[in-house]
Amino acid sequence: MLYQLPNGKVIHLSIEEFLDLTDEDIQYLMSIDYGEHIMDPFTGSAVENNTREKYYDFTSLLQEDETLNDYISDDEPFDDIIDLSDNLDM
């Protein structure tokens, strides 16, 4: 795991090392200027390991289906206020 010291440097620790870490250990690591500055916030994350390409199938969205827009409005109280029959392109 990555652990960021109060001075901004990052060190690699196991879970056991992290659980055994004391304030004196942190002060010592900062005093010897241990660690490295990481510029990329995603360093070591699963984002870098994701090599599988995603495939999106949009063919079902492109079908001209007249029944998609034929549904009963649940906004009946607002139907008399809002007129959606006009063309909204300006």
Side-chain angles (χ1 to χ4, degrees):
M1 82 186 276
L2 297 175
Y3 179 77
Q4 187 173 11
L5 297 170
N7 64 357
K9 290 200 171 189
V10 176
I11 59 174
H12 299 273
L13 296 173
S14 67
I15 300 294
E16 292 82 17
E17 290 171 335
F18 173 73
L19 294 175
D20 292 335
L21 196 63
T22 63
D23 291 337
E24 290 82 22
D25 295 333
I26 294 173
Q27 289 298 324
Y28 175 72
L29 291 170
M30 287 191 327
S31 69
I32 62 171
D33 201 31
Y34 188 75
E36 58 188 47
H37 289 285
I38 295 180
M39 298 300 171
D40 183 14
F42 299 107
T43 301
S45 72
V47 174
E48 294 175 349
N49 299 333
N50 189 3
T51 58
R52 190 177 77 184
E53 189 172 327
K54 292 181 174 43
Y55 174 72
Y56 298 103
D57 185 19
F58 293 111
T59 57
S60 63
L61 297 176
L62 298 176
Q63 296 174 354
E64 293 290 330
D65 191 2
E66 297 290 330
T67 61
L68 288 177
N69 293 327
D70 292 339
Y71 61 91
I72 300 173
S73 173
D74 59 351
D75 296 328
E76 288 181 11
F78 301 107
D79 283 346
D80 57 342
I81 299 171
I82 302 171
D83 184 19
L84 297 177
S85 62
D86 292 337
N87 189 0
L88 298 177
D89 295 334
M90 292 185 184

